[in-house]
Amino acid sequence: MSTDGERGSSPLCAATAIKAAEASRTSSNRILQQLARNDPQSPLSSINAQSSSFGLPIRTGVDVAKLGTPKVASENVRQRLIKEAKSWPENPPCPPNTLNIRATITERTLPVISGNLRLYGLESTVADPHAFLREAQLHWDTVVRSTIIVDELLPQDLQEYLENLVKDCYRSAGGTRVRIDALIAFTNRILELNCICVVVPRSESPKGRVGIILGQNLVIDRPVYKSVPKAALLARGEIVDEAIRGDIFTEEYVDIDRVIVVSERDFPGSGEEVWHIRKSRLIAELHFNTRHCPESFICLQEVLQEQLHDILSGLNDNRTTWAYIGVGRDDGCQAGEYSPILYRPSIWQLQSFETVWLSKTPDRPSKSWDAASIRILTIGVFQHRHCKKTVVAMNTHLDDQGSKSRIEAAKIILERVFHFMTKADMSTAPSIFLAGDFNSEPDQEAYEAMTSEASPMCDLQYMIPEDQRYGDQNTFTGFGHERLPPKRIDFVFLNHQNPPGFSPNRASANEAQRWSVEGYGILANQFEDGIYCSDHRAVVGDLLLL
């Protein structure tokens, strides 16, 4: 995707919620089709907790309207889920009336938890028919064996796709097994999970209800959690709304590979918080480090659209205005993670920008080789409004699992660097910087490709004496619970020499020196309160454009 002109922040579409009350097939299909298009005119409202006779919502500190989009499961997780689904028995996914017995006889109500879900066929990708359910209402039932969704809540194209699956092994008398990527808001944190769900007709749903039930297999039997009923909250003297069921705190979650991926935020030193708590710390860091340097660029990775909007809103004030370039990697628009570049339009004139997918088909959303996720390179060509110097800014995030995809991605990036350094309409080769999370340490494939003798790029860290570098050596820390060692995988690279074959009559020898490096540092990402603003430390370069 390429375009000219400047792009600023724009209001996000109003968040919509799926109505979990009983509805006809026609109206439900219409609702979900609008959700899949992210239609801001969708005539929906949040579920009324009183409308469900067997469920009440839990309290949560998460702003559900800004929950974000679930990450697509890695190829490894997807294959494990497929294997798990094939091993499931052929009988129906839950005993009849389980929900009615538990909710109305034992506990009167079930906890209702909000989440954003993406549903696929088990062997499908984002290119196949799928559903995105925003602010879905999920009933947490510790008796129902499987996670269940009634087919009336799915868009028509996905229903038809599932009915015509080539692989009949995912269908049984009890329903069709599908895959879910989910972000679920508990009282104290967001839980990100991947699981199997069974799509059932209303007749197979407990008491014939239309809705979503989180059951035991791969969901409720995985997290360590604590349930605090409303009665206990009232006994403590807390003021609790009548329409609240209570609290559910998560502590640890065991993924399908039996790895603990979550620990409760209140554990000493865990440090991970929900976005609406972390964002003020991150915005303050960005603002403090750019307030006296109007020429600053900010390159971010793993940014969802809602987070990008929050960051821009936090940076923009009466004295300065920031804009950005970049797209969501999943659809080239708003879906999935961005690798945006932020800049001040009053200082830099945007000449053009493009998104390159790091795959065999770089002109469209795609992934190749052994990549677990879609990966992109964001490129912007900027001209300084006063001195008229041009700089090419690049930002990327390489795959965390595929070694082959990282080395191939590095080759694609270098091809784009060479393209700009030999571009016919530039009288001299431009100054280029590349920032990003490479998921590659200095002795690994992508870094070695970026800094090889054939590459015109140089690691900014080594362009300044060691005793003048500020901060830590490592850039990745995690949030404190991953049990992973810190490592240096985030870099800023600068072009420092002419590429092979560069015509000597296009630039004099002294123009090969394009940058004067004034400073290099790695900033802290955790302070006395123990909260990490990010699981990576920011890499900062102070540069003079020659």
Side-chain angles (χ1 to χ4, degrees):
M1 172 179 175
S2 299
T3 188
D4 292 329
E6 296 177 357
R7 177 179 181 181
S9 60
S10 59
L12 299 180
C13 294
T16 53
I18 176 173
K19 191 178 262 183
E22 297 183 15
S24 69
R25 179 183 295 268
T26 301
S27 62
S28 294
N29 288 339
R30 175 172 55 82
I31 287 170
L32 267 297
Q33 286 164 353
Q34 287 171 325
L35 285 175
R37 293 195 303 267
N38 203 20
D39 188 348
Q41 303 301 319
S42 179
L44 302 178
S45 59
S46 297
I47 181 173
N48 182 342
Q50 303 288 358
S51 68
S52 172
S53 62
F54 58 94
L56 288 174
I58 65 169
R59 298 193 304 181
T60 179
V62 178
D63 186 350
V64 178
K66 297 182 179 181
L67 197 54
T69 305
K71 288 184 180 179
V72 177
S74 69
E75 182 61 24
N76 177 58
V77 169
R78 192 168 76 96
Q79 293 301 324
R80 292 292 300 274
L81 289 173
I82 289 172
K83 182 178 179 181
E84 182 79 19
K86 288 179 178 178
S87 69
W88 279 20
E90 292 297 313
N91 57 337
C94 64
N97 300 330
T98 297
L99 183 59
N100 180 62
I101 293 172
R102 181 158 180 82
T104 62
I105 297 178
T106 310
E107 294 183 345
R108 298 181 64 85
T109 60
L110 287 172
V112 174
I113 303 171
S114 295
N116 288 350
L117 313 179
R118 191 187 278 116
L119 288 85
Y120 315 81
L122 268 163
E123 298 193 22
S124 303
T125 67
V126 291
D128 297 312
H130 62 280
F132 178 51
L133 311 186
R134 184 182 292 277
E135 297 181 54
Q137 308 296 298
L138 315 168
H139 291 82
W140 178 269
D141 193 327
T142 56
V143 171
V144 174
R145 186 164 68 250
S146 304
T147 295
I148 301 166
I149 182 169
V150 174
D151 58 6
E152 295 179 24
L153 294 177
L154 303 183
Q156 189 66 38
D157 63 340
L158 181 56
Q159 291 187 49
E160 293 173 356
Y161 177 77
L162 296 176
E163 288 171 1
N164 294 283
L165 280 176
V166 175
K167 307 236 175 178
D168 286 326
C169 61
Y170 303 128
R171 276 198 291 267
S172 68
T176 301
R177 281 150 282 183
V178 298
R179 187 177 89 242
I180 287 183
D181 300 328
L183 287 175
I184 300 176
F186 287 84
T187 298
N188 63 324
R189 70 178 307 108
I190 298 169
L191 187 67
E192 183 171 3
L193 57 85
N194 314 103
C195 68
I196 301 167
C197 175
V198 181
V199 180
V200 300
R202 187 193 293 206
S203 60
E204 294 293 331
S205 174
K207 297 301 288 183
R209 299 186 185 275
V210 176
I212 307 172
I213 304 168
L214 288 178
Q216 287 285 115
N217 198 306
L218 292 181
V219 181
I220 294 179
D221 59 356
R222 293 281 176 162
V224 178
Y225 65 92
K226 179 175 67 176
S227 178
V228 183
K230 179 168 60 179
L233 300 175
L234 293 172
R236 295 172 182 170
E238 296 189 35
I239 299 174
V240 184
D241 190 277
E242 185 64 28
I244 293 296
R245 171 65 167 70
D247 294 338
I248 296 182
F249 295 90
T250 61
E251 298 177 359
E252 295 178 328
Y253 174 71
V254 181
D255 69 7
I256 195 168
D257 290 321
R258 296 180 181 173
V259 175
I260 295 175
V261 294
V262 169
S263 60
E264 188 178 357
R265 80 179 191 203
D266 293 328
F267 282 359
S270 73
E272 184 177 4
E273 275 284 5
V274 293
W275 169 245
H276 77 272
I277 292 176
R278 291 191 292 118
K279 69 180 181 182
S280 61
R281 292 164 172 80
L282 179 61
I283 292 169
E285 178 181 77
L286 297 176
H287 183 68
F288 182 80
N289 284 280
T290 61
R291 63 191 304 174
H292 298 304
C293 183
E295 284 80 9
S296 297
F297 289 95
I298 299 174
C299 297
L300 305 171
Q301 298 85 37
E302 294 189 61
V303 187
L304 299 176
Q305 187 195 34
E306 293 87 348
Q307 294 172 318
L308 181 56
H309 175 75
D310 288 342
I311 292 169
L312 283 168
S313 298
L315 289 175
N316 287 332
D317 53 32
N318 294 331
R319 294 171 296 175
T320 186
T321 299
W322 289 82
Y324 78 95
I325 57 171
V327 299
R329 68 188 187 187
D330 289 356
D331 64 353
C333 187
Q334 297 180 347
E337 296 177 2
Y338 290 63
S339 292
I341 300 173
L342 281 62
Y343 68 102
R344 291 182 173 102
S346 61
I347 304 298
W348 294 101
Q349 171 72 45
L350 177 63
Q351 303 293 306
S352 65
F353 89 86
E354 63 178 314
T355 299
V356 178
W357 277 266
L358 301 175
S359 72
K360 295 178 181 178
T361 52
D363 60 334
R364 57 186 180 273
S366 53
K367 63 179 180 178
S368 302
W369 307 292
D370 54 356
S373 302
I374 297 173
R375 301 293 177 173
I376 56 176
L377 169 70
T378 303
I379 304 174
V381 179
F382 299 88
Q383 184 179 67
H384 195 276
R385 291 185 183 274
H386 176 66
C387 70
K388 304 303 179 182
K389 290 184 180 291
T390 298
V391 63
V392 178
M394 299 185 177
N395 185 26
T396 194
H397 183 195
L398 302 192
D399 198 68
D400 61 333
Q401 297 189 37
S403 176
K404 174 69 172 176
S405 69
R406 286 194 293 270
I407 186 66
E408 295 298 331
K411 293 176 182 178
I412 293 172
I413 293 170
L414 286 172
E415 287 176 1
R416 298 306 297 159
V417 170
F418 289 138
H419 166 76
F420 283 103
M421 293 186 71
T422 58
K423 202 171 182 181
D425 61 351
M426 292 184 177
S427 58
T428 59
S431 298
I432 303 173
F433 76 82
L434 166 66
D437 173 358
F438 285 77
N439 277 305
S440 175
E441 296 184 69
D443 61 349
Q444 294 179 320
E445 69 291 291
Y447 181 92
E448 290 181 341
M450 295 304 307
T451 57
S452 69
E453 290 186 3
S455 169
M457 307 301 282
C458 183
D459 183 348
L460 173 61
Q461 184 191 73
Y462 296 115
M463 298 177 74
I464 193 167
E466 184 175 359
D467 61 359
Q468 295 179 29
R469 303 170 194 163
Y470 171 79
D472 292 288
Q473 172 74 8
N474 294 308
T475 62
F476 171 78
T477 63
F479 283 113
H481 60 72
E482 295 91 344
R483 299 179 176 87
L484 296 174
K487 50 191 174 181
R488 182 171 175 251
I489 59 175
D490 304 274
F491 307 97
V492 176
F493 295 105
L494 306 178
N495 65 327
H496 68 106
Q497 62 185 36
N498 291 329
F502 190 81
S503 174
N505 63 2
R506 293 264 307 282
S508 60
N510 62 0
E511 285 174 327
Q513 171 101 22
R514 298 178 178 86
W515 304 96
S516 172
V517 179
E518 306 294 313
Y520 170 88
I522 297 176
L523 305 183
N525 61 343
Q526 183 191 37
F527 294 100
E528 292 174 347
D529 60 6
I531 296 172
Y532 291 84
C533 64
S534 171
D535 55 347
H536 291 247
R537 296 173 177 139
V539 180
V540 178
D542 289 329
L543 310 172
L544 183 63
L545 188 59
L546 301 179

